[in-house]
Amino acid sequence: MHIEQLREFCISKKGVTEHFPFDDVTLVFKVMGKMFALVGLNQWEQGDTKVNLKCDPEWSEELRGEYEGIIAGWHMSKKHWNTVSLNQDVSDQFAFELINHSYDLVVKGLTKKQKLALENS
């Protein structure tokens, strides 16, 4: 997967914005102001194609045991975030499913007011 494929997939989702809140090399995708995906652009350019994604805690453990390319979230809550190495044993199709899962988890956690604003955006 190329960075533009990842970016286009993320920003095509309803209510998604992209930011650099930490520095000028950590690209963060948010839905209604809540993070669901983070990418280190410096590492990506060096061939270390990873993305941090939110994940259901039970499924996180299962995925980490099943895939070499999925580990506990780097610099994130290890319970709720995974770091997914793309272009290894995680297919692009499955990576897109994991991005969808992360997005859906964040949307599920939004307030009623935020969900209504998202629906109307």
Side-chain angles (χ1 to χ4, degrees), residues 5-20:
Q5 290 172 294
L6 174 75
R7 181 182 171 274
E8 289 298 322
F9 186 78
C10 288
I11 63 171
S12 71
K13 301 187 148 312
K14 192 167 193 155
V16 171
T17 55
E18 55 187 332
H19 308 269
F20 288 90

Side-chain angles (χ1 to χ4, degrees), residues 98-118:
L98 293 173
I99 292 168
N100 284 336
H101 175 70
S102 181
Y103 174 88
D104 292 343
L105 275 178
V106 172
V107 168
K108 182 179 175 183
L110 295 175
T111 65
K112 286 182 182 181
K113 184 177 178 180
Q114 289 171 319
K115 287 178 184 175
L116 183 60
L118 178 60

Side-chain angles (χ1 to χ4, degrees), residues 19-23 26-28 30 35:
H19 308 269
F20 288 90
F22 307 114
D23 52 39
T26 306
L27 177 58
V28 177
K30 296 180 178 185
M35 296 188 300

Side-chain angles (χ1 to χ4, degrees), residues 70-82:
I70 300 178
I71 60 172
W74 179 252
H75 288 292
M76 305 296 285
S77 164
K78 308 294 186 228
K79 181 177 180 180
H80 295 281
W81 289 84
N82 282 333

Side-chain angles (χ1 to χ4, degrees), residues 54-70:
K54 195 161 188 154
C55 190
D56 172 77
E58 289 180 22
W59 198 32
S60 284
E61 292 296 324
E62 188 179 316
L63 291 171
R64 293 172 197 166
E66 237 177 276
Y67 293 89
E68 274 186 45
I70 300 178

